[in-house]
Amino acid sequence: MIGLNHLSKHYGDTKAVDDVSLTIDKGSVVAIVGTSGSGKSTLLRLVNRLIEPTSGHVTLDGQDTRALPAFELRRRIGYVIQDHGLFPHWTVARNIATVPRLLGWSKARIEARVEELLTLLSLDPAAIGPRFPHQLSGGQMQRVGVARALAAEPELLLMDEPFGALDPVLRGKAQADLRAIQRTLGTTILLVTHDMAEAIALSDRIAVMRAGRVEQFAPPAEILARPATDFVRALVGEGERAFRYLSLTPVGSLAEAGAAEGAPLPADATAAEALNALIWRGTESLALEGGGRVTRSALLRAGHP
Amino acid sequence: MKRWPAAVLLVLVLAFLIRPGLFAPLLAPLAPGGGPVIYDRANLLSLTLAHLGLVAGAMVPASLVAVALGVFVQRPAGAAFLPLSRSLTGFGQTFPPVAVLALTVPVLGFGTWPTLLALFLYGLLPVFENTVAALQGLPPSVVEAARGMGLTPRQRLWQVELPLARPLILDGIRTASVISLSTATIGSVVAARGLGEVIIAGLTSQNLAFVAQGGLLVAALAILLAQAFALVGDGASRNRATPRA
């Protein structure tokens, strides 16, 4: 469990982060969402002490992180940034090995770990490992950045706009991959994004920040159904609220017995995807893979709390 | 870049140093009637080695000091010294080496030491400025990642910052060394051994052949030195997308 306790960072009179307290359960994904200048990146960097807080502190499994030298703390916390920040003079394998080497792992253990991570991120270890970062595509660099952050099995993974530099198609793929990896490894993730759709797609809980303060900290469905303030309401985007709400529900949970025309939909598709298909096909109901169907009225009912 | 012109030049220089007599017919028209064509008061090869020794003796410490200073003023503890260091190295560069010789001979005596000091001061600025520029021009995301991964300040310097700054620092050392190679000729006015001796002998005895062989030799060495640095630099930056500031 990670605890942020009354964290504040003041620059003169400006309160970049103002008395923020959050608790992050082990193995969960928390997204910090806010407009630019809301203090979300500063808050993230207070956690691994790239910025030292004016007041307050962070606990990692109950241990006050101020008890450690900052560089030792950072070796226990993975860190992914938007421009990936790969070391251009090192190969991919050497980049991924950064923290294990700092921790003095054996050569054999490092090599095995590098190979394991490259495979996990669907990169061919033999082909990609010996390359230099400038020989990779943007999507590959981003994945290597994630692999490097995960290398030493960190207790917490911090991600600062990790997909901001990717085009929409790659971003969707990267989000799905991250979610799959997170389920496999059970890593605790604290992620910063300005994209509410990304936060809803990835996280178990969302912290909405504005002017250095957390306005609401709740699961995505709660944020959509009951935004605590006008700012949260605006950020959620009332124009797309129903679709975002639908995107939280797997269509399989709305299934009923019966048959329907047309190609069946995978049961793990979201209700938003199902409604989209239904509108486009102009039908009343959709067949699901593995039997059963979902009707228009069931989908419409699921679109609001 | 094609390497053969430099290779040809190297062969010519070596041939001239080992068998200067072979080139006598070329230089003879420049010599005064009946005068010597090839400088004969000292062995040209040993003068060349002494000349290169002067340059190395000044540039190795100048580079070490300038790089160390360049690194120091980027650290939190040294940031306040950046303007002062700029002024000092700038002063070293603008203060004429001849004046340094004139001022230091009374203290250090004639010979090698005043020349080494003049070349040392002259070489600081290009290396210092390039070191500062290289370190300031590092990609912010890479520096941030190095901190975020948990590298200590010393590990960041040796493993990330200096390797990435190396091409630009080498550029500075190359520039300073080439300048130093030609400037070293003035050392001969205070009796430091070097190729300046040949040029000055030519000037005092009005023997244009001496001036030409001394001057051309220094110029050829400067070109070869620059090429040698390019070779080292290529080796260092192969396979790397190293940003150049």
Side-chain angles (χ1 to χ4, degrees), chain B residues 16 29 43 94 107 113 128 130 142 148 161 165 175 209 224 227:
Chain B
F16 182 73
N43 180 295
T94 47
V107 184
W113 288 108
F128 173 77
N130 273 37
V142 171
E161 293 169 7
T175 308
L224 289 174
Q227 287 287 324

Side-chain angles (χ1 to χ4, degrees), chain A residues 6 20 35 37 68 71-72 86-87 98 104 106 126 130 144 183 253 256 264:
Chain A
H6 302 287
V20 169
T35 47
L68 291 170
F71 67 88
E72 269 181 37
L86 297 179
F87 303 120
T98 304
S106 73
V144 173
R183 285 203 190 101
S253 67
E256 59 181 63

Side-chain angles (χ1 to χ4, degrees), chain B residues 7-196:
Chain B
V8 170
L9 190 61
L10 180 63
V11 170
L12 281 174
V13 167
L14 288 175
F16 182 73
L17 290 177
I18 297 163
R19 285 286 166 80
L22 291 176
F23 294 79
L26 285 173
L27 291 163
L30 298 173
V37 175
I38 301 297
Y39 187 69
D40 50 6
R41 269 171 265 174
N43 180 295
L44 281 174
L45 182 60
S46 86
L47 282 183
T48 302
L49 291 176
H51 195 94
L52 291 174
L54 271 180
V55 172
M59 280 315 300
V60 169
S63 301
L64 290 176
V65 168
V67 170
L69 197 60
V71 168
F72 173 67
V73 298
Q74 307 280 322
R75 307 281 111 179
F81 295 94
L82 179 58
L84 179 67
S85 307
R86 281 229 154 101
S87 312
L88 281 178
T89 56
F91 184 70
Q93 177 80 15
T94 47
F95 205 78
V98 174
V100 175
L101 294 182
L103 288 173
T104 53
V105 164
V107 184
L108 299 172
F110 280 89
T112 307
W113 288 108
T115 313
L116 281 178
L117 182 67
L119 295 180
F120 170 83
L121 292 176
Y122 212 48
L124 287 175
L125 177 93
V127 183
F128 173 77
E129 285 295 339
N130 273 37
T131 304
V132 170
L135 292 175
Q136 283 179 346
L138 293 176
S141 65
V142 171
V143 178
E144 163 102 352
R147 286 187 70 208
M149 297 290 119
L151 279 80
T152 61
R154 181 168 302 195
Q155 288 167 334
R156 291 205 299 273
L157 179 68
W158 288 104
Q159 297 185 24
V160 177
E161 293 169 7
L162 282 180
L164 291 178
R166 185 157 93 169
L168 207 57
I169 295 176
L170 271 180
D171 271 356
I173 297 178
R174 186 198 56 187
T175 308
S177 299
V178 169
I179 295 173
S180 171
L181 194 79
S182 51
T183 311
T185 50
I186 63 149
S188 302
V189 303
V190 294
R193 264 172 67 79
L195 290 168

